[in-house]
Amino acid sequence: MKVLLHICCAPDATTAYKRLSQEHEVVGYFFNPNIQPLQEYEKRKEAVEKLSKAWSFEVIYPSYDPKEWFKVVKGLEDLPEGGMRCKACIAYRLRRTALKTKELGFDAFTTSLTTSPHKDVNFINNIGDKIAKSVGVKYLTSIFRKKDGFLESVRYSRELKLYRQNYCGCIFSLRGEEKDEFVLQRHLKRA
């Protein structure tokens, strides 16, 4: 089966790719317009490129355009981490992955998001399945963090010296001065 793996970050992709590739042909899909600032996006993209090169697998990198993502989460900016903003973000990225799966004629899609112990895997799998049905593709339910999957990802990341981020990705998950600086820069660009 040919599977499109939505990759949220290189560390989480390690376990997901290793497990999926035992039974399937896997192509990565690094669609993350939620990641800010641009420098952070570039660091994460470079880590995915490093992983895909080390393990010899293809990754598709659509253009980085967070404008549409900001529309998706408009009005949800001040909600707590893990709440409706995060659910809207995940649903948006999975829908785009499902559409790409259909466009490419792949058999199924899934996401590396379920490697993280910080994500709601029940929500991810339920929304992935609903989106798949609405688009007309198959979603592979996964909980990659099971059977020490997260610990595996940490080990692989150390072995490969992959960049490990310290926040989810969006500007709203940043705290303190970094967030203030990003918001200021964004405001100045509009002026």
Side-chain angles (χ1 to χ4, degrees):
M1 187 176 345
K2 197 161 187 179
V3 177
L4 190 63
L5 170 63
H6 169 258
I7 295 176
C8 56
C9 65
D12 284 359
T14 58
T15 299
Y17 176 78
K18 276 289 188 190
R19 292 182 181 181
L20 285 169
S21 64
Q22 291 174 9
E23 298 179 24
H24 309 292
E25 181 182 346
V26 180
V27 173
Y29 187 58
F30 187 72
F31 178 72
N32 298 292
N34 57 304
I35 299 172
Q36 294 111 36
L38 176 61
Q39 300 90 318
E40 180 68 20
Y41 175 85
E42 291 296 335
K43 282 184 196 176
R44 295 185 194 199
K45 181 181 176 189
E46 286 171 20
V48 172
E49 290 170 338
K50 184 177 184 178
L51 173 63
S52 70
K53 187 175 180 180
W55 287 358
S56 301
F57 69 96
E58 180 186 354
V59 177
I60 298 166
Y61 301 93
S63 62
Y64 174 70
D65 184 7
K67 289 181 197 122
E68 193 65 32
W69 180 84
F70 277 109
K71 291 177 190 173
V72 168
V73 299
K74 187 172 176 62
L76 306 173
E77 299 91 346
D78 295 328
L79 295 179
E81 194 73 14
M84 286 308 297
R85 181 187 67 245
C86 296
K87 288 178 178 179
C89 174
I90 290 167
Y92 172 65
R93 292 184 290 152
L94 291 184
R95 176 165 297 284
R96 290 291 298 269
T97 305
L99 292 170
K100 183 56 82 171
T101 300
K102 187 170 189 166
E103 176 190 322
L104 296 173
F106 283 21
D107 300 300
F109 77 99
T110 193
T111 180
S112 65
L113 285 164
T114 65
T115 306
S116 171
H118 305 291
K119 299 290 185 264
D120 180 347
V121 294
N122 291 325
F123 170 78
I124 292 167
N125 285 320
N126 287 335
I127 197 69
D129 193 50
K130 284 178 187 171
I131 289 168
K133 286 176 182 161
S134 74
V135 171
V137 295
K138 182 178 180 180
Y139 175 76
L140 294 182
T141 299
S142 64
I143 304 179
F144 293 118
R145 69 182 178 215
K146 275 188 171 181
K147 298 181 184 172
D148 291 328
F150 178 71
L151 294 176
E152 280 178 26
S153 76
V154 171
R155 183 174 50 82
Y156 290 136
S157 296
R158 283 187 187 139
E159 287 172 7
L160 296 167
K161 296 181 173 64
L162 297 176
Y163 170 68
R164 290 188 67 85
Q165 63 276 1
N166 61 5
Y167 67 102
C168 181
C170 84
I171 191 59
F172 309 112
S173 64
L174 271 175
R175 300 289 177 252
E177 292 176 23
E178 289 176 307
K179 181 177 180 178
D180 294 342
E181 178 62 24
F182 180 82
V183 171
L184 174 64
Q185 293 303 319
R186 196 161 167 251
H187 178 71
L188 290 173
K189 285 181 184 175
R190 290 184 189 159

